[in-house]
């Protein structure tokens, strides 16, 4: 049987997750451009997606990058 | 070097000032030199809770505006000689006072005290940042109510931007009878939801609120035992939590709980 405390906790969990979901939208954009800058030093990135999964434990960051080729190192003359 | 602890909450009316005053009293009772700074400019109440409202000559704003020296603004508590209060301005001088101004005052007091407790205003606007700026530790005061926990979560996320040495939660106004009947969110659940450890649990205690109206403190009630544990945890880093349900366990406890429910 659910007590009032259990119901309150469940409701609170939902509220806290909703609050947290609203936060990362701007952060996603900023992170995306920073990550893209780093990745482009190493590979030709054609597509990049950055997603935040929010749970009560915190944030899980999922980065998906497609690249056509990896850049070669050490072949350009100094 | 003093430990600088800000007591904050986000939501108003959760007992920041009362906890600040009582924690200060317990730490002073343990023999530490403590100063309580009221940074709630315009809505100051620490002087009233401490019972020193008639002794205020200068306040934080006067120190910042160089109208007096910091030692002239400090009020020594007559009951606990190692406890001092730096009251806040009655008028709304908040806009002209920055976090750096408050930090300069805190730095002046640093070498003379073991603990500097900063009473933060409610909300997360300029007043909040003004108070947190000079602290290196934070205690987030929360009551077992959804609105308070939600605001505390927001405050904790803002506090993570500051490089604080430690952050802990104090759960105030916990009712043991409601915890046992499952009508109140448990302290453990609050800690789990907020992802932060509990530093203290303060029961709902009539004596604490009655005495705070008189500017007095008791050293014997349930609330004061909980405040003593809080002071011990703050000082030693222990995690001894006051059991608010103890009073409502056993035959007499159940009887007490049932009578309270009916009343």
């Amino acid at each position: 049987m659910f007590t009032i405390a259990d119901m309150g906790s469940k409701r609170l969990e939902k509220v806290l997750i909703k609050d947290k979901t609203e936060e990362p939208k701007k952060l996603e954009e900023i992170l995306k451009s920073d990550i893209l800058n780093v990745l482009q030093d190493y590979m030709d990135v054609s597509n990049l997606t950055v997603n935040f999964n929010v749970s009560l434990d915190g944030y899980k960051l999922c980065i998906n990058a497609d690249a056509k080729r990896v850049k070669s190192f050490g072949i350009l003359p100094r | 070097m003093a430990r600088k602890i800000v007591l904050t909450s986000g939501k108003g009316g959760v007992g920041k000032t009362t906890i600040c005053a009582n924690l200060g009293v317990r730490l002073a009772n343990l023999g530490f030199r403590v100063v309580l700074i009221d940074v709630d400019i315009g809505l100051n109440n620490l002087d009233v809770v401490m019972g020193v409202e008639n002794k205020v000559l200068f306040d934080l704003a006067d120190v910042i505006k160089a109208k007096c020296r910091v030692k002239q603004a400090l009020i020594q508590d007559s009951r606990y000689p190692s406890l001092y209060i730096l009251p806040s301005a009655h008028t709304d001088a908040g806009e002209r006072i920055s976090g750096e101004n408050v930090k300069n005052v805190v730095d002046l007091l640093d070498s003379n005290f073991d603990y500097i407790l900063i009473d933060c205003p409610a909300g997360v606007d300029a007043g909040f940042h003004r108070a947190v700026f000079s602290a290196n530790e934070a205690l987030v005061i929360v009551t077992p109510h959804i609105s308070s926990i939600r605001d505390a979560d927001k405050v904790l996320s803002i506090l993570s931007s500051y490089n604080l040495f430690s952050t802990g939660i104090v759960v105030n106004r916990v009712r043991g009878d409601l915890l046992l009947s499952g009508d109140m969110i448990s302290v453990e659940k609050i800690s789990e939801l907020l992802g932060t450890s509990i530093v203290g649990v303060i029961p709902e205690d009539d004596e604490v609120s009655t005495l705070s109206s008189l500017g007095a403190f008791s050293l014997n009630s349930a609330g004061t035992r909980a405040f003593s544990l809080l002071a011990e945890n703050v000082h030693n880093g222990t995690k001894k939590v006051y059991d608010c349900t103890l009073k409502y366990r056993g035959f007499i406890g159940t009887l007490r709980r049932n009578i309270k429910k009916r009343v």
Side-chain angles (χ1 to χ4, degrees):
Chain A
M1 202 182 92
F2 277 107
T3 60
I4 291 175
D6 292 333
M7 289 189 283
S9 300
K10 288 273 169 221
R11 205 173 142 231
L12 187 60
E13 275 177 29
K14 281 182 189 165
V15 170
L16 293 183
I17 289 174
K18 191 174 166 279
D19 287 348
K20 284 191 168 79
T21 315
E22 283 166 7
E23 280 172 19
K25 280 170 191 161
K26 271 187 187 169
L27 190 62
E28 264 180 32
E29 287 304 308
I30 297 164
L31 265 180
K32 203 171 166 178
S33 78
D34 279 358
I35 292 166
L36 192 65
N37 275 340
V38 173
L39 288 179
Q40 273 176 340
D41 286 344
Y42 302 94
M43 51 189 74
D44 287 339
V45 180
S46 57
N47 184 37
L48 178 71
T49 54
V50 176
N51 283 314
F52 271 103
N53 291 322
V54 187
S55 71
L56 268 180
D57 297 331
Y59 300 95
K60 198 166 271 180
L61 183 63
C62 301
I63 304 166
N64 260 308
D66 298 332
K68 292 225 167 83
R69 63 180 70 81
V70 173
K71 289 181 181 174
S72 302
F73 292 98
I75 55 160
L76 292 175
R78 286 193 178 184
Chain B
M1 197 173 146
R3 283 177 66 182
K4 300 158 199 128
I5 306 172
V6 64
L7 288 94
T8 181
S9 68
K11 191 179 181 302
V14 294
K16 286 182 294 294
T17 306
T18 310
I19 290 180
C20 185
N22 278 281
L23 178 60
V25 165
R26 303 298 166 254
L27 287 169
N29 209 33
L30 290 172
F32 297 108
R33 294 165 301 164
V34 184
V35 60
L36 312 177
I37 305 180
D38 192 351
V39 185
D40 197 348
I41 298 161
L43 295 171
N44 55 318
N45 279 313
L46 191 62
D47 53 343
V48 179
V49 174
M50 291 301 299
V52 296
E53 69 274 16
N54 294 325
K55 294 182 182 173
V56 178
L57 283 177
F58 297 108
D59 56 44
L60 180 66
D62 293 325
V63 180
I64 289 166
K65 288 181 214 155
K67 282 187 182 172
C68 68
R69 281 175 289 140
V70 68
K71 281 184 181 170
Q72 290 176 301
L74 286 178
I75 302 165
Q76 188 176 23
D77 192 287
S78 52
R79 299 151 293 186
Y80 308 96
S82 65
L83 178 63
Y84 289 80
I85 299 110
L86 179 56
S88 174
H90 310 285
T91 50
D92 185 20
E95 283 172 23
R96 294 184 294 274
I97 295 172
S98 68
E100 291 224 348
N101 292 148
V102 177
K103 190 176 187 301
N104 290 339
V105 176
V106 169
D107 288 344
L108 286 173
L109 297 165
D110 195 3
S111 56
N112 295 312
F113 290 94
D114 301 309
Y115 282 93
I116 298 175
L117 303 183
I118 303 162
D119 187 23
C120 179
V124 287
D125 50 13
F128 167 84
H129 292 284
R130 195 184 297 140
V132 177
F133 191 73
S134 48
N136 45 30
E137 293 172 60
L139 287 178
V140 179
I141 318 300
V142 63
T143 58
H145 306 103
I146 286 187
S147 51
S148 166
I149 300 167
R150 185 192 194 188
D151 289 356
D153 187 53
K154 211 159 276 180
V155 163
L156 283 165
S157 113
I158 298 170
L159 285 176
S160 66
S161 316
Y162 285 89
N163 286 325
L164 294 178
F165 175 66
S166 76
T167 307
I169 309 168
V170 179
V171 188
N172 193 23
R173 297 205 184 122
V174 179
R175 278 185 56 182
D177 55 332
L178 293 185
L179 279 180
L180 284 176
S181 60
D183 292 334
M184 184 172 263
I185 300 174
S186 71
V187 170
E188 294 77 22
K189 189 71 192 173
I190 294 171
S191 171
E192 187 195 320
L193 287 168
L194 295 176
T196 310
S197 59
I198 302 283
V199 181
V201 174
I202 312 295
E204 175 88 73
D205 186 350
D206 294 344
E207 201 174 335
V208 172
S209 53
T210 311
L211 288 174
S212 96
S213 311
L214 302 170
F217 300 92
S218 154
L219 292 172
N220 298 313
S221 74
T224 51
R225 279 196 295 280
F227 281 123
S228 299
L229 275 182
L230 170 64
E232 220 179 299
N233 288 344
V234 166
H235 182 66
N236 300 324
T238 49
K239 290 193 175 135
K240 293 178 194 167
V241 168
Y242 182 81
D243 185 4
C244 302
T245 61
L246 203 66
K247 198 171 136 187
Y248 300 99
R249 287 183 195 274
F251 176 71
I252 295 175
T254 311
L255 208 65
R256 190 180 280 144
R257 186 149 48 107
N258 286 334
I259 292 169
K260 200 165 182 180
K261 210 169 188 178
R262 285 185 187 202
V263 168

PDB file of all heavy atoms in Angstrom, chain B residues 6-40:
ATOM      1  N   VAL B   6      27.940  29.240   4.835  1.00  0.00           N
ATOM      2  CA  VAL B   6      26.714  29.973   4.506  1.00  0.00           C
ATOM      3  C   VAL B   6      25.520  29.043   4.726  1.00  0.00           C
ATOM      4  O   VAL B   6      25.563  27.865   4.392  1.00  0.00           O
ATOM      5  CB  VAL B   6      26.762  30.530   3.062  1.00  0.00           C
ATOM      6  CG1 VAL B   6      26.815  29.435   2.012  1.00  0.00           C
ATOM      7  CG2 VAL B   6      25.573  31.443   2.785  1.00  0.00           C
ATOM      8  N   LEU B   7      24.475  29.586   5.351  1.00  0.00           N
ATOM      9  CA  LEU B   7      23.236  28.822   5.540  1.00  0.00           C
ATOM     10  C   LEU B   7      22.206  29.359   4.572  1.00  0.00           C
ATOM     11  O   LEU B   7      21.802  30.517   4.667  1.00  0.00           O
ATOM     12  CB  LEU B   7      22.740  28.940   6.992  1.00  0.00           C
ATOM     13  CG  LEU B   7      23.600  28.158   7.984  1.00  0.00           C
ATOM     14  CD1 LEU B   7      24.653  29.036   8.590  1.00  0.00           C
ATOM     15  CD2 LEU B   7      22.770  27.515   9.044  1.00  0.00           C
ATOM     16  N   THR B   8      21.838  28.528   3.638  1.00  0.00           N
ATOM     17  CA  THR B   8      20.965  28.976   2.565  1.00  0.00           C
ATOM     18  C   THR B   8      19.834  27.975   2.349  1.00  0.00           C
ATOM     19  O   THR B   8      19.831  26.895   2.932  1.00  0.00           O
ATOM     20  CB  THR B   8      21.802  29.207   1.272  1.00  0.00           C
ATOM     21  OG1 THR B   8      20.956  29.656   0.242  1.00  0.00           O
ATOM     22  CG2 THR B   8      22.512  27.943   0.827  1.00  0.00           C
ATOM     23  N   SER B   9      18.867  28.321   1.473  1.00  0.00           N
ATOM     24  CA  SER B   9      17.762  27.385   1.259  1.00  0.00           C
ATOM     25  C   SER B   9      17.054  27.581  -0.079  1.00  0.00           C
ATOM     26  O   SER B   9      16.566  26.631  -0.651  1.00  0.00           O
ATOM     27  CB  SER B   9      16.718  27.543   2.359  1.00  0.00           C
ATOM     28  OG  SER B   9      16.083  28.788   2.225  1.00  0.00           O
ATOM     29  N   GLY B  10      17.021  28.783  -0.551  1.00  0.00           N
ATOM     30  CA  GLY B  10      16.190  29.065  -1.722  1.00  0.00           C
ATOM     31  C   GLY B  10      14.823  29.501  -1.251  1.00  0.00           C
ATOM     32  O   GLY B  10      14.445  30.655  -1.368  1.00  0.00           O
ATOM     33  N   LYS B  11      14.087  28.587  -0.658  1.00  0.00           N
ATOM     34  CA  LYS B  11      12.749  28.915  -0.186  1.00  0.00           C
ATOM     35  C   LYS B  11      12.817  29.682   1.144  1.00  0.00           C
ATOM     36  O   LYS B  11      13.681  29.391   1.968  1.00  0.00           O
ATOM     37  CB  LYS B  11      11.956  27.623   0.011  1.00  0.00           C
ATOM     38  CG  LYS B  11      10.484  27.860   0.242  1.00  0.00           C
ATOM     39  CD  LYS B  11       9.767  26.551   0.402  1.00  0.00           C
ATOM     40  CE  LYS B  11       8.290  26.798   0.615  1.00  0.00           C
ATOM     41  NZ  LYS B  11       8.001  27.642   1.778  1.00  0.00           N
ATOM     42  N   GLY B  12      11.922  30.609   1.321  1.00  0.00           N
ATOM     43  CA  GLY B  12      11.880  31.364   2.557  1.00  0.00           C
ATOM     44  C   GLY B  12      11.105  30.630   3.643  1.00  0.00           C
ATOM     45  O   GLY B  12      10.314  29.733   3.342  1.00  0.00           O
ATOM     46  N   GLY B  13      11.355  30.987   4.880  1.00  0.00           N
ATOM     47  CA  GLY B  13      10.579  30.458   5.999  1.00  0.00           C
ATOM     48  C   GLY B  13      10.867  29.023   6.388  1.00  0.00           C
ATOM     49  O   GLY B  13      10.051  28.378   7.039  1.00  0.00           O
ATOM     50  N   VAL B  14      12.034  28.509   5.987  1.00  0.00           N
ATOM     51  CA  VAL B  14      12.356  27.118   6.336  1.00  0.00           C
ATOM     52  C   VAL B  14      13.178  27.022   7.632  1.00  0.00           C
ATOM     53  O   VAL B  14      13.392  25.931   8.140  1.00  0.00           O
ATOM     54  CB  VAL B  14      13.103  26.387   5.192  1.00  0.00           C
ATOM     55  CG1 VAL B  14      12.226  26.219   3.977  1.00  0.00           C
ATOM     56  CG2 VAL B  14      14.388  27.101   4.830  1.00  0.00           C
ATOM     57  N   GLY B  15      13.608  28.174   8.143  1.00  0.00           N
ATOM     58  CA  GLY B  15      14.321  28.182   9.429  1.00  0.00           C
ATOM     59  C   GLY B  15      15.812  28.445   9.339  1.00  0.00           C
ATOM     60  O   GLY B  15      16.561  28.051  10.234  1.00  0.00           O
ATOM     61  N   LYS B  16      16.238  29.141   8.289  1.00  0.00           N
ATOM     62  CA  LYS B  16      17.672  29.457   8.136  1.00  0.00           C
ATOM     63  C   LYS B  16      18.204  30.238   9.333  1.00  0.00           C
ATOM     64  O   LYS B  16      19.215  29.875   9.921  1.00  0.00           O
ATOM     65  CB  LYS B  16      17.915  30.324   6.895  1.00  0.00           C
ATOM     66  CG  LYS B  16      17.819  29.615   5.585  1.00  0.00           C
ATOM     67  CD  LYS B  16      18.123  30.557   4.439  1.00  0.00           C
ATOM     68  CE  LYS B  16      17.112  31.657   4.283  1.00  0.00           C
ATOM     69  NZ  LYS B  16      15.764  31.224   3.898  1.00  0.00           N
ATOM     70  N   THR B  17      17.488  31.323   9.673  1.00  0.00           N
ATOM     71  CA  THR B  17      17.961  32.205  10.735  1.00  0.00           C
ATOM     72  C   THR B  17      17.952  31.481  12.081  1.00  0.00           C
ATOM     73  O   THR B  17      18.906  31.606  12.859  1.00  0.00           O
ATOM     74  CB  THR B  17      17.087  33.480  10.775  1.00  0.00           C
ATOM     75  OG1 THR B  17      17.094  34.054   9.471  1.00  0.00           O
ATOM     76  CG2 THR B  17      17.605  34.486  11.762  1.00  0.00           C
ATOM     77  N   THR B  18      16.899  30.719  12.346  1.00  0.00           N
ATOM     78  CA  THR B  18      16.818  29.979  13.616  1.00  0.00           C
ATOM     79  C   THR B  18      17.951  28.961  13.710  1.00  0.00           C
ATOM     80  O   THR B  18      18.588  28.825  14.760  1.00  0.00           O
ATOM     81  CB  THR B  18      15.448  29.260  13.719  1.00  0.00           C
ATOM     82  OG1 THR B  18      14.428  30.205  13.444  1.00  0.00           O
ATOM     83  CG2 THR B  18      15.240  28.647  15.078  1.00  0.00           C
ATOM     84  N   ILE B  19      18.208  28.256  12.611  1.00  0.00           N
ATOM     85  CA  ILE B  19      19.287  27.257  12.622  1.00  0.00           C
ATOM     86  C   ILE B  19      20.647  27.939  12.738  1.00  0.00           C
ATOM     87  O   ILE B  19      21.512  27.480  13.486  1.00  0.00           O
ATOM     88  CB  ILE B  19      19.206  26.344  11.373  1.00  0.00           C
ATOM     89  CG1 ILE B  19      17.974  25.440  11.510  1.00  0.00           C
ATOM     90  CG2 ILE B  19      20.466  25.515  11.195  1.00  0.00           C
ATOM     91  CD1 ILE B  19      17.733  24.485  10.387  1.00  0.00           C
ATOM     92  N   CYS B  20      20.804  29.071  12.052  1.00  0.00           N
ATOM     93  CA  CYS B  20      22.057  29.827  12.133  1.00  0.00           C
ATOM     94  C   CYS B  20      22.329  30.230  13.585  1.00  0.00           C
ATOM     95  O   CYS B  20      23.426  30.008  14.110  1.00  0.00           O
ATOM     96  CB  CYS B  20      21.954  31.067  11.241  1.00  0.00           C
ATOM     97  SG  CYS B  20      23.457  32.013  11.119  1.00  0.00           S
ATOM     98  N   ALA B  21      21.299  30.772  14.243  1.00  0.00           N
ATOM     99  CA  ALA B  21      21.442  31.214  15.640  1.00  0.00           C
ATOM    100  C   ALA B  21      21.737  30.032  16.563  1.00  0.00           C
ATOM    101  O   ALA B  21      22.666  30.084  17.377  1.00  0.00           O
ATOM    102  CB  ALA B  21      20.159  31.925  16.082  1.00  0.00           C
ATOM    103  N   ASN B  22      20.972  28.966  16.413  1.00  0.00           N
ATOM    104  CA  ASN B  22      21.147  27.808  17.306  1.00  0.00           C
ATOM    105  C   ASN B  22      22.475  27.087  17.072  1.00  0.00           C
ATOM    106  O   ASN B  22      23.109  26.638  18.016  1.00  0.00           O
ATOM    107  CB  ASN B  22      19.978  26.829  17.134  1.00  0.00           C
ATOM    108  CG  ASN B  22      18.781  27.258  17.944  1.00  0.00           C
ATOM    109  OD1 ASN B  22      18.719  27.047  19.144  1.00  0.00           O
ATOM    110  ND2 ASN B  22      17.834  27.903  17.292  1.00  0.00           N
ATOM    111  N   LEU B  23      22.884  26.987  15.802  1.00  0.00           N
ATOM    112  CA  LEU B  23      24.176  26.364  15.507  1.00  0.00           C
ATOM    113  C   LEU B  23      25.305  27.207  16.104  1.00  0.00           C
ATOM    114  O   LEU B  23      26.252  26.660  16.695  1.00  0.00           O
ATOM    115  CB  LEU B  23      24.347  26.208  13.986  1.00  0.00           C
ATOM    116  CG  LEU B  23      25.662  25.619  13.492  1.00  0.00           C
ATOM    117  CD1 LEU B  23      25.884  24.207  14.042  1.00  0.00           C
ATOM    118  CD2 LEU B  23      25.699  25.569  11.964  1.00  0.00           C
ATOM    119  N   GLY B  24      25.161  28.527  15.986  1.00  0.00           N
ATOM    120  CA  GLY B  24      26.151  29.425  16.566  1.00  0.00           C
ATOM    121  C   GLY B  24      26.259  29.243  18.066  1.00  0.00           C
ATOM    122  O   GLY B  24      27.360  29.161  18.627  1.00  0.00           O
ATOM    123  N   VAL B  25      25.105  29.140  18.726  1.00  0.00           N
ATOM    124  CA  VAL B  25      25.077  28.958  20.190  1.00  0.00           C
ATOM    125  C   VAL B  25      25.758  27.651  20.576  1.00  0.00           C
ATOM    126  O   VAL B  25      26.576  27.601  21.503  1.00  0.00           O
ATOM    127  CB  VAL B  25      23.608  28.996  20.697  1.00  0.00           C
ATOM    128  CG1 VAL B  25      23.506  28.463  22.115  1.00  0.00           C
ATOM    129  CG2 VAL B  25      23.071  30.410  20.619  1.00  0.00           C
ATOM    130  N   ARG B  26      25.436  26.557  19.851  1.00  0.00           N
ATOM    131  CA  ARG B  26      26.030  25.244  20.193  1.00  0.00           C
ATOM    132  C   ARG B  26      27.543  25.249  19.965  1.00  0.00           C
ATOM    133  O   ARG B  26      28.283  24.697  20.751  1.00  0.00           O
ATOM    134  CB  ARG B  26      25.424  24.111  19.362  1.00  0.00           C
ATOM    135  CG  ARG B  26      23.957  23.954  19.461  1.00  0.00           C
ATOM    136  CD  ARG B  26      23.460  23.610  20.871  1.00  0.00           C
ATOM    137  NE  ARG B  26      22.028  23.811  20.875  1.00  0.00           N
ATOM    138  CZ  ARG B  26      21.408  24.836  21.452  1.00  0.00           C
ATOM    139  NH1 ARG B  26      22.084  25.731  22.118  1.00  0.00           N
ATOM    140  NH2 ARG B  26      20.118  24.956  21.385  1.00  0.00           N
ATOM    141  N   LEU B  27      27.978  25.868  18.856  1.00  0.00           N
ATOM    142  CA  LEU B  27      29.421  25.907  18.581  1.00  0.00           C
ATOM    143  C   LEU B  27      30.144  26.750  19.637  1.00  0.00           C
ATOM    144  O   LEU B  27      31.230  26.386  20.088  1.00  0.00           O
ATOM    145  CB  LEU B  27      29.686  26.466  17.170  1.00  0.00           C
ATOM    146  CG  LEU B  27      29.346  25.522  16.001  1.00  0.00           C
ATOM    147  CD1 LEU B  27      29.381  26.260  14.670  1.00  0.00           C
ATOM    148  CD2 LEU B  27      30.294  24.327  15.949  1.00  0.00           C
ATOM    149  N   ALA B  28      29.501  27.854  20.039  1.00  0.00           N
ATOM    150  CA  ALA B  28      30.093  28.692  21.097  1.00  0.00           C
ATOM    151  C   ALA B  28      30.120  27.928  22.409  1.00  0.00           C
ATOM    152  O   ALA B  28      31.075  28.026  23.195  1.00  0.00           O
ATOM    153  CB  ALA B  28      29.293  29.980  21.245  1.00  0.00           C
ATOM    154  N   ASN B  29      29.084  27.126  22.635  1.00  0.00           N
ATOM    155  CA  ASN B  29      28.994  26.299  23.842  1.00  0.00           C
ATOM    156  C   ASN B  29      30.098  25.245  23.873  1.00  0.00           C
ATOM    157  O   ASN B  29      30.521  24.804  24.942  1.00  0.00           O
ATOM    158  CB  ASN B  29      27.607  25.630  23.877  1.00  0.00           C
ATOM    159  CG  ASN B  29      27.150  25.358  25.276  1.00  0.00           C
ATOM    160  OD1 ASN B  29      27.461  26.124  26.195  1.00  0.00           O
ATOM    161  ND2 ASN B  29      26.440  24.269  25.471  1.00  0.00           N
ATOM    162  N   LEU B  30      30.546  24.834  22.685  1.00  0.00           N
ATOM    163  CA  LEU B  30      31.651  23.861  22.599  1.00  0.00           C
ATOM    164  C   LEU B  30      33.011  24.541  22.781  1.00  0.00           C
ATOM    165  O   LEU B  30      34.053  23.895  22.751  1.00  0.00           O
ATOM    166  CB  LEU B  30      31.616  23.130  21.243  1.00  0.00           C
ATOM    167  CG  LEU B  30      30.468  22.136  21.008  1.00  0.00           C
ATOM    168  CD1 LEU B  30      30.468  21.664  19.552  1.00  0.00           C
ATOM    169  CD2 LEU B  30      30.574  20.946  21.936  1.00  0.00           C
ATOM    170  N   GLY B  31      32.971  25.863  22.908  1.00  0.00           N
ATOM    171  CA  GLY B  31      34.204  26.607  23.179  1.00  0.00           C
ATOM    172  C   GLY B  31      34.818  27.301  21.972  1.00  0.00           C
ATOM    173  O   GLY B  31      35.926  27.829  22.059  1.00  0.00           O
ATOM    174  N   PHE B  32      34.113  27.312  20.854  1.00  0.00           N
ATOM    175  CA  PHE B  32      34.665  27.956  19.659  1.00  0.00           C
ATOM    176  C   PHE B  32      34.288  29.431  19.608  1.00  0.00           C
ATOM    177  O   PHE B  32      33.264  29.833  20.140  1.00  0.00           O
ATOM    178  CB  PHE B  32      34.169  27.254  18.391  1.00  0.00           C
ATOM    179  CG  PHE B  32      34.608  25.831  18.300  1.00  0.00           C
ATOM    180  CD1 PHE B  32      33.704  24.800  18.486  1.00  0.00           C
ATOM    181  CD2 PHE B  32      35.940  25.511  18.062  1.00  0.00           C
ATOM    182  CE1 PHE B  32      34.101  23.482  18.431  1.00  0.00           C
ATOM    183  CE2 PHE B  32      36.351  24.196  18.001  1.00  0.00           C
ATOM    184  CZ  PHE B  32      35.432  23.173  18.188  1.00  0.00           C
ATOM    185  N   ARG B  33      35.146  30.207  18.954  1.00  0.00           N
ATOM    186  CA  ARG B  33      34.835  31.619  18.738  1.00  0.00           C
ATOM    187  C   ARG B  33      34.003  31.708  17.460  1.00  0.00           C
ATOM    188  O   ARG B  33      34.460  31.280  16.396  1.00  0.00           O
ATOM    189  CB  ARG B  33      36.127  32.428  18.595  1.00  0.00           C
ATOM    190  CG  ARG B  33      36.972  32.467  19.860  1.00  0.00           C
ATOM    191  CD  ARG B  33      38.361  32.955  19.563  1.00  0.00           C
ATOM    192  NE  ARG B  33      39.018  32.095  18.592  1.00  0.00           N
ATOM    193  CZ  ARG B  33      40.111  32.419  17.901  1.00  0.00           C
ATOM    194  NH1 ARG B  33      40.666  33.593  18.083  1.00  0.00           N
ATOM    195  NH2 ARG B  33      40.657  31.586  17.038  1.00  0.00           N
ATOM    196  N   VAL B  34      32.788  32.207  17.613  1.00  0.00           N
ATOM    197  CA  VAL B  34      31.829  32.178  16.496  1.00  0.00           C
ATOM    198  C   VAL B  34      31.293  33.582  16.220  1.00  0.00           C
ATOM    199  O   VAL B  34      31.004  34.330  17.154  1.00  0.00           O
ATOM    200  CB  VAL B  34      30.630  31.245  16.836  1.00  0.00           C
ATOM    201  CG1 VAL B  34      29.675  31.139  15.650  1.00  0.00           C
ATOM    202  CG2 VAL B  34      31.106  29.865  17.258  1.00  0.00           C
ATOM    203  N   VAL B  35      31.178  33.911  14.946  1.00  0.00           N
ATOM    204  CA  VAL B  35      30.483  35.156  14.591  1.00  0.00           C
ATOM    205  C   VAL B  35      29.373  34.819  13.594  1.00  0.00           C
ATOM    206  O   VAL B  35      29.560  34.036  12.669  1.00  0.00           O
ATOM    207  CB  VAL B  35      31.447  36.245  14.047  1.00  0.00           C
ATOM    208  CG1 VAL B  35      32.190  35.811  12.810  1.00  0.00           C
ATOM    209  CG2 VAL B  35      30.696  37.539  13.779  1.00  0.00           C
ATOM    210  N   LEU B  36      28.198  35.385  13.837  1.00  0.00           N
ATOM    211  CA  LEU B  36      27.053  35.201  12.938  1.00  0.00           C
ATOM    212  C   LEU B  36      26.883  36.485  12.134  1.00  0.00           C
ATOM    213  O   LEU B  36      26.769  37.561  12.712  1.00  0.00           O
ATOM    214  CB  LEU B  36      25.773  34.946  13.742  1.00  0.00           C
ATOM    215  CG  LEU B  36      25.829  33.902  14.861  1.00  0.00           C
ATOM    216  CD1 LEU B  36      24.483  33.845  15.586  1.00  0.00           C
ATOM    217  CD2 LEU B  36      26.174  32.537  14.314  1.00  0.00           C
ATOM    218  N   ILE B  37      26.910  36.372  10.834  1.00  0.00           N
ATOM    219  CA  ILE B  37      26.740  37.556   9.989  1.00  0.00           C
ATOM    220  C   ILE B  37      25.399  37.472   9.269  1.00  0.00           C
ATOM    221  O   ILE B  37      25.117  36.500   8.572  1.00  0.00           O
ATOM    222  CB  ILE B  37      27.877  37.674   8.948  1.00  0.00           C
ATOM    223  CG1 ILE B  37      29.234  37.646   9.654  1.00  0.00           C
ATOM    224  CG2 ILE B  37      27.735  38.955   8.129  1.00  0.00           C
ATOM    225  CD1 ILE B  37      30.409  37.765   8.702  1.00  0.00           C
ATOM    226  N   ASP B  38      24.588  38.493   9.443  1.00  0.00           N
ATOM    227  CA  ASP B  38      23.292  38.561   8.771  1.00  0.00           C
ATOM    228  C   ASP B  38      23.482  39.280   7.430  1.00  0.00           C
ATOM    229  O   ASP B  38      23.806  40.459   7.400  1.00  0.00           O
ATOM    230  CB  ASP B  38      22.302  39.334   9.665  1.00  0.00           C
ATOM    231  CG  ASP B  38      20.866  39.191   9.171  1.00  0.00           C
ATOM    232  OD1 ASP B  38      20.682  38.658   8.068  1.00  0.00           O
ATOM    233  OD2 ASP B  38      19.952  39.610   9.901  1.00  0.00           O
ATOM    234  N   VAL B  39      23.321  38.541   6.335  1.00  0.00           N
ATOM    235  CA  VAL B  39      23.482  39.150   5.014  1.00  0.00           C
ATOM    236  C   VAL B  39      22.107  39.359   4.353  1.00  0.00           C
ATOM    237  O   VAL B  39      21.990  39.715   3.203  1.00  0.00           O
ATOM    238  CB  VAL B  39      24.449  38.294   4.146  1.00  0.00           C
ATOM    239  CG1 VAL B  39      24.752  38.947   2.813  1.00  0.00           C
ATOM    240  CG2 VAL B  39      25.772  38.094   4.863  1.00  0.00           C
ATOM    241  N   ASP B  40      21.070  39.120   5.130  1.00  0.00           N
ATOM    242  CA  ASP B  40      19.701  39.328   4.635  1.00  0.00           C
ATOM    243  C   ASP B  40      19.374  40.815   4.769  1.00  0.00           C
ATOM    244  O   ASP B  40      18.669  41.240   5.687  1.00  0.00           O
ATOM    245  CB  ASP B  40      18.734  38.463   5.457  1.00  0.00           C
ATOM    246  CG  ASP B  40      17.397  38.298   4.762  1.00  0.00           C
ATOM    247  OD1 ASP B  40      17.152  39.027   3.792  1.00  0.00           O
ATOM    248  OD2 ASP B  40      16.609  37.448   5.197  1.00  0.00           O
TER     249      ASP B  40
END
